[in-house]
Amino acid sequence: MSHHTSRRSLLTASATTALAALALGARGTGAAEAAAARTAKTTGHTGAAGTAEAFGAGTAQDARRARADALISRMTLPEKVGQLFVMRIYGTSATDPAPADAEANRQEIGVANAAELIAKYHVGGIIYFGWAHNTRDPRQIAALSNGIQRAALAQRTPIPLLIATDQEHGAVARVGPPATMLPGAMALGAGGSRTDARTAARICGAELAAMGIRQDYAPDADVNVDPANPVIGVRSFGGSPQAVAGLVAAQVRGFRAAGVATAVKHFPGHGDTGTDSHVDLPVITHTLSLIHI
């Protein structure tokens, strides 16, 4: 992803990401549990069992859904719309970024820091970039994530954010050393081991989760069939749809084992374009008869 395009606000294709994390009972962060506790306190129900009974639900899944429904019913329209957006923000801190970063934020989005962004726009997520000064080192990243979640839970309707980054490894890695630098997709594809692909994703996911990052914009599912492709190349596992599919599925399982959501990308056919989609619109000329999966 180029610096120029990465600075744009990103709109998720799915519905409320943070609400989905809450409804599924996100593991490890404590944020979803904290939000659920606040909701239970407001609605007068205590815990999943109380919520399930109040809404006539007989299973844990029904209880989680009822809890999410109760939360949504309290939200204003601006809060619901805000949940559809994933934004980027300059700075190493949620409340006290460097003066230059605070000024850049004011000029581009009208707020000084992540806490103000959340309070004003009620965003559903934030994505980290190195060029935005979000990923200096693991301790700083974890502190940034904690600050973001504190701001999220301080809202009128407390909803934890889904924090994400692009950590494909290889050519695209937003978090550098001392995080483990693992082989990229093409290197794993050359080895052909689904076990290795799953293990790499599990290690990556565990480290991201420890820093408060619960979604990775990976793995790359593009099939690299055009050697002149200007944007995919070594980010792909290879040129065989079957091999790529197997390795992608293995990585999704690895990330899931670490409690991290994935974002399998990009749009179909991106592995055979002659145009960088960050700066122009590629055209795919293949017909369905040429696709063999």
Side-chain angles (χ1 to χ4, degrees):
M1 185 173 289
S2 69
H3 182 133
H4 175 74
T5 302
S6 298
R7 292 173 63 176
R8 295 181 302 178
S9 303
L10 302 178
L11 174 62
T12 61
S14 62
T16 57
T17 51
L19 285 175
L22 174 61
L24 293 173
R27 295 178 294 169
T29 64
E33 289 82 353
R38 295 189 183 197
T39 301
K41 182 178 180 181
T42 302
T43 58
H45 303 305
T46 56
T51 306
E53 181 179 356
F55 286 85
T59 67
Q61 182 177 359
D62 290 334
R64 289 192 295 268
R65 180 176 295 277
R67 192 166 62 215
D69 287 344
L71 184 60
I72 292 172
S73 70
R74 296 173 49 217
M75 295 172 66
T76 64
L77 181 58
E79 287 173 337
K80 292 175 183 177
V81 171
Q83 285 296 302
L84 297 174
F85 286 85
V86 176
M87 294 287 291
R88 61 100 189 97
I89 191 82
Y90 289 103
T92 58
S93 166
T95 56
D96 189 27
D101 288 330
E103 181 58 27
N105 289 328
R106 291 189 190 98
Q107 290 182 5
E108 294 191 16
I109 52 179
V111 297
N113 54 51
E116 291 181 10
L117 171 72
I118 294 164
K120 183 174 182 178
Y121 296 111
H122 318 293
V123 295
I126 287 179
I127 180 171
Y128 290 167
F129 292 106
W131 54 261
H133 310 147
N134 303 141
T135 56
R136 184 178 62 199
D137 61 70
R139 187 179 295 275
Q140 168 269 315
I141 296 170
L144 173 61
S145 299
N146 287 338
I148 286 171
Q149 299 298 5
R150 280 194 294 270
L153 296 178
Q155 297 184 93
R156 187 193 71 86
T157 305
I159 303 173
L161 267 71
L162 187 57
I163 299 173
T165 196
D166 292 278
Q167 193 76 353
E168 298 176 21
H169 285 283
V172 178
R174 309 301 187 195
V175 181
T180 305
M181 294 292 97
L182 296 158
M186 187 163 284
L188 289 170
S193 169
R194 297 182 182 182
T195 299
D196 289 348
R198 184 184 187 280
T199 299
R202 181 179 54 78
I203 293 170
C204 174
E207 293 186 348
L208 292 178
M211 293 179 276
I213 301 171
R214 286 291 180 162
Q215 183 177 34
D216 191 4
Y217 288 0
D220 192 317
D222 297 305
V223 181
N224 187 43
V225 295
D226 183 355
N229 189 305
V231 65
I232 301 302
V234 296
R235 297 169 65 191
S236 167
F237 287 105
S240 163
Q242 293 83 357
V244 169
L247 293 169
V248 166
Q251 289 230 302
V252 169
R253 288 192 293 270
F255 281 115
R256 183 174 182 179
V260 171
T262 53
V264 175
K265 60 187 185 184
H266 296 86
F267 60 82
H270 202 359
D272 191 14
T273 66
T275 303
D276 184 345
S277 59
H278 296 96
V279 297
D280 206 349
L281 181 64
V283 177
I284 310 300
T285 59
H286 291 313
T287 64
L288 288 175
S289 62
L290 295 177
I291 298 176
H292 303 287
I293 297 179

